[in-house]
Amino acid sequence: MEKGDSIGSTTVTLSRADLVRYAGASGDFNPIHWSESTARSVDLPGVIAHGMLTMGAAVQLVTDWCGDPGAILDYQTRFSAMVPVDEAEGATLTVSGKVGKIDDDAGTVRIDLSVTDAGHGDAKLLTKAQAVVRVSEGTAA
């Protein structure tokens, strides 16, 4: 494993039903995540995905790569754009990751994620999306 190596990419599709399920699981029932009229009344482009749903969907790539969600020691990001979720077409996110830093002494790697919205001109949704992962010999070969 070397800095700059790809860990892969994936496409995540979010539907309005996903937003409702996430609201139930998280307890975040803000109507901007399910009511078109409410979202537009506060000058949003329509219903938008929960930020934490977007963040969680993105880190799944890292979990799949390392094979152990417990190996993710830290994960943080900055939100840089909203994710409009069209009633008919949903939203399609593209997530890719690269090794950003290797710390041999700590036995960790930092994975840098790129998360874009294919349906809105590949808008960059998250910035500085980074996960620190504990690795062992043979991890994610």
Side-chain angles (χ1 to χ4, degrees):
M1 176 178 357
E2 296 182 13
K3 181 178 177 181
D5 283 355
S6 171
I7 68 159
S9 63
T10 191
T11 300
V12 176
T13 303
L14 296 176
S15 69
R16 295 274 179 98
D18 294 325
L19 303 186
V20 171
R21 284 189 287 275
Y22 184 81
S26 69
D28 181 352
F29 295 103
N30 188 323
I32 64 171
H33 301 302
W34 54 267
S35 168
E36 189 78 26
S37 62
T38 299
R40 291 195 183 279
S41 76
V42 293
D43 296 324
L44 293 174
V47 168
I48 61 170
H50 302 75
M52 297 304 288
L53 174 58
T54 304
M55 188 177 174
V59 79
Q60 186 63 48
L61 178 69
V62 179
T63 301
D64 293 345
W65 172 76
C66 70
D68 176 9
I72 299 172
L73 304 176
D74 183 58
Y75 176 47
Q76 52 191 296
T77 191
R78 294 182 183 154
F79 299 99
S80 54
M82 293 176 280
V83 180
V85 181
D86 183 76
E87 186 171 9
E89 303 200 9
T92 302
L93 315 182
T94 303
V95 182
S96 61
K98 291 186 177 184
V99 175
K101 181 180 178 183
I102 300 171
D103 186 336
D104 290 323
D105 294 335
T108 61
V109 297
R110 187 189 76 220
I111 302 299
D112 298 338
L113 294 171
S114 171
V115 184
T116 58
D117 184 346
H120 290 89
D122 286 326
K124 192 170 185 176
L125 303 173
L126 305 176
T127 58
K128 294 194 70 103
Q130 300 175 330
V132 176
V133 181
R134 179 182 60 249
V135 292
S136 59
E137 198 169 311
T139 297

